[in-house]
Amino acid sequence: MFGYLQIQKSELLVRESEAYKAVYCGLCRQMGKDYSVFTRFTLSYDCTFYAMLLMSLNRSCKGFKDGRCTCNPLKKCKFATDEGDAYSKAAAFSMISVYYKIIDDIQDSGFFKKLLCRIIKPFFSHQRKKAAKKYPDMDKAVADMMKMQYDAEHSEKPSVDMSAHPTALMLATVLSAEAHDETQKRVLYEFGYHIGRWIYLVDAADDIEKDIKSNGFNPFVNKKTGEVRSSDFIQAVLNQSLARAYDAYNLMNFTDFKGILDNMMLLGFPASQNRVTSKLDTEVNNE
Amino acid sequence: MNNPYEVLGVSETATDEEVKAAYRNLAKKYHPDNYTDSPLADVAEQKMKEINEAYDMINQMRQKGKGTGSTGSSSYNANSSSSQFYNVRIYIQRNASVSFACNSFGRYNAVTPTWPFASIRSLSSLTSGSVTLWKCSSL
């Protein structure tokens, strides 16, 4: 699994850890059911977080049922049941974002990665069409984000804020659509915006070395001079986004999965951030 | 108003210290300084107001329960007759020092109440044997 929106497993209670596993097993099963067996390989921590957030907002998880892992039938699993459409939306979001990521990689990557992306593109194009048919607004939000992202990255002087804005706006739009009232819509918008911004920037910080080698765009690397922003600056920018996301998170009254969500916000996300920024410090020291 | 204990996230049997600690934790979380430049400042302010009201209500109910000797019944009606004395009672809790001494008949006697209010128009004293009670009449 990949993604930055992870738990800090060592600090979770055993029952919370089992509940988290049950959610991602449930999401994996839904992806296989709605799309294809092979789409299960795109299961990510980020979409698991999205599914859990939706289930908590709508209080739609009514229990857990026993079953067997679809990838390894010898392994017993618990699956969290969802009465709403949290799994369906998270699976659709996964298909749509993977498809547009493939499009982006075809434009920006080297020869071999481009070739691989071209080979798998038709498969994910078909899955994305199925997802877009169910949730057209979600597809539009991601498509608009890709276009804005392209424009931002190819602009004259792309700032950090300008580069992160499209992803932030996309996640704000997707999350705020789940609100039950106007106040919750504002809170979810703010939460989605800052989480989206954080994800984009932490991914950018993680890819600094790779982008310098491949001459790709990175908001923390000056296009003209090749100068890299200091790790203190990167840490401060990431902390600001996470803090603002946490302030918005506090204004939502979660009950279901609250322990897991608190663990993610307070421990898991900062740990992911520290893993990335400590790599930056190592690179600076090596230079 | 919602159940004030639920707003503070404590049980109804929580001690005063637990209620105070819960209030302080929530006040730190939703303090306006945390939302200075945030577009959600008004939402946080509303939440802070709710927490303050819940805390004040719990204090009021518990003081009322201690004063009458009965366990405070849950009354969330802001328009009840007790709300007439609400501001006075809060001021008393914060400013007045009252000491009670148990007299030889096992009754309680108010020894040195201090009433620094200009707004209290009349005080009536009731004497019953060796018990002297100071009672604040209706304002």
Side-chain angles (χ1 to χ4, degrees), chain A residues 183 186-187 190-191 244 246-248 250-251 253 258, chain B residues 29-30 34-35 37-44 47:
Chain A
T183 304
R186 288 173 57 204
V187 174
E190 182 78 0
F191 177 68
R244 292 288 284 261
Y246 183 64
D247 287 340
N250 277 335
L251 292 171
N253 297 321
K258 181 157 169 50
Chain B
K29 227 192 229 185
Y30 298 107
N34 293 342
Y35 293 87
D37 296 323
S38 172
L40 301 176
D42 57 322
V43 181
K47 187 84 186 176

Side-chain angles (χ1 to χ4, degrees), chain A residues 2-277:
Chain A
F2 51 93
Y4 296 99
L5 303 183
Q6 298 181 25
I7 51 169
Q8 181 79 324
K9 195 173 175 185
S10 56
E11 298 293 332
L12 271 183
L13 298 175
V14 172
R15 59 176 165 81
E16 286 170 344
S17 179
E18 295 295 323
Y20 181 77
K21 274 193 239 174
V23 172
Y24 76 57
C25 288
L27 179 57
C28 179
R29 186 182 250 197
Q30 187 75 27
M31 283 166 82
K33 195 171 143 192
D34 284 357
Y35 303 100
S36 155
V37 167
F38 299 107
T39 59
R40 290 190 169 117
F41 293 112
T42 63
L43 180 64
S44 65
Y45 294 115
D46 298 1
C47 289
T48 308
F49 172 75
Y50 179 47
M52 191 174 287
L53 194 74
L54 290 184
M55 282 200 270
S56 191
L57 275 172
N58 300 323
R59 305 208 68 184
S60 58
C61 178
K62 296 301 173 191
F64 301 86
K65 61 179 185 187
D66 291 328
R68 290 197 174 265
C69 178
T70 37
C71 297
N72 179 7
L74 297 175
K75 186 178 163 191
K76 281 187 186 173
C77 287
K78 284 199 185 302
F79 299 94
T81 56
D82 174 44
E83 280 187 356
D85 54 2
Y87 280 146
S88 179
K89 281 184 175 164
F93 187 69
S94 183
M95 290 304 104
I96 291 167
S97 39
V98 164
Y99 170 74
Y100 283 108
K101 177 84 176 78
I102 288 169
I103 300 289
D104 188 50
D105 284 346
I106 287 172
Q107 285 170 353
D108 294 341
S109 301
F111 175 75
F112 290 105
K113 192 168 181 185
K114 208 180 267 194
L115 183 64
L116 177 66
C117 289
R118 283 190 195 280
I119 291 168
I120 61 175
K121 184 189 162 194
F123 172 75
F124 282 101
S125 174
H126 174 64
Q127 307 306 335
R128 175 237 147 201
K129 279 179 188 157
K130 279 164 79 174
K133 203 171 171 184
K134 274 189 189 171
Y135 303 106
D137 292 341
M138 193 185 284
D139 181 65
K140 185 176 181 307
V142 180
D144 289 347
M145 178 273 284
M146 293 305 295
K147 190 179 176 312
M148 278 174 70
Q149 195 72 62
Y150 181 85
D151 292 341
E153 290 179 4
H154 289 84
S155 64
E156 189 61 36
K157 285 184 185 174
S159 65
V160 170
D161 293 335
M162 202 162 97
S163 308
H165 178 70
T167 308
L169 187 64
M170 181 269 293
L171 211 56
T173 310
V174 166
L175 285 186
S176 62
E178 306 303 327
H180 301 132
D181 57 57
E182 204 49 48
T183 304
Q184 198 178 54
K185 187 170 185 169
R186 288 173 57 204
V187 174
L188 278 168
Y189 185 92
E190 182 78 0
F191 177 68
Y193 188 91
H194 287 288
I195 281 286
R197 189 184 135 96
W198 182 82
I199 291 170
Y200 177 84
L201 292 175
V202 88
D203 187 44
D206 205 9
D207 289 343
I208 284 179
E209 202 183 332
K210 187 189 87 173
D211 290 334
I212 290 173
K213 278 185 193 161
S214 63
N215 210 26
F217 173 80
N218 192 294
F220 296 123
V221 178
N222 188 310
K223 263 199 296 193
K224 290 175 186 162
T225 63
E227 188 192 337
V228 181
R229 294 278 199 167
S230 68
S231 63
D232 288 341
F233 173 82
I234 295 170
Q235 185 83 284
V237 161
L238 291 171
N239 284 344
Q240 185 211 20
S241 285
L242 210 49
R244 292 288 284 261
Y246 183 64
D247 287 340
Y249 170 80
N250 277 335
L251 292 171
M252 292 186 275
N253 297 321
F254 291 114
T255 33
D256 297 352
F257 303 122
K258 181 157 169 50
I260 303 173
L261 291 169
D262 284 351
N263 174 282
M264 288 170 120
M265 290 297 309
L266 290 168
L267 299 170
F269 300 173
S272 294
Q273 180 180 313
N274 288 339
R275 267 196 297 277
V276 168
T277 52

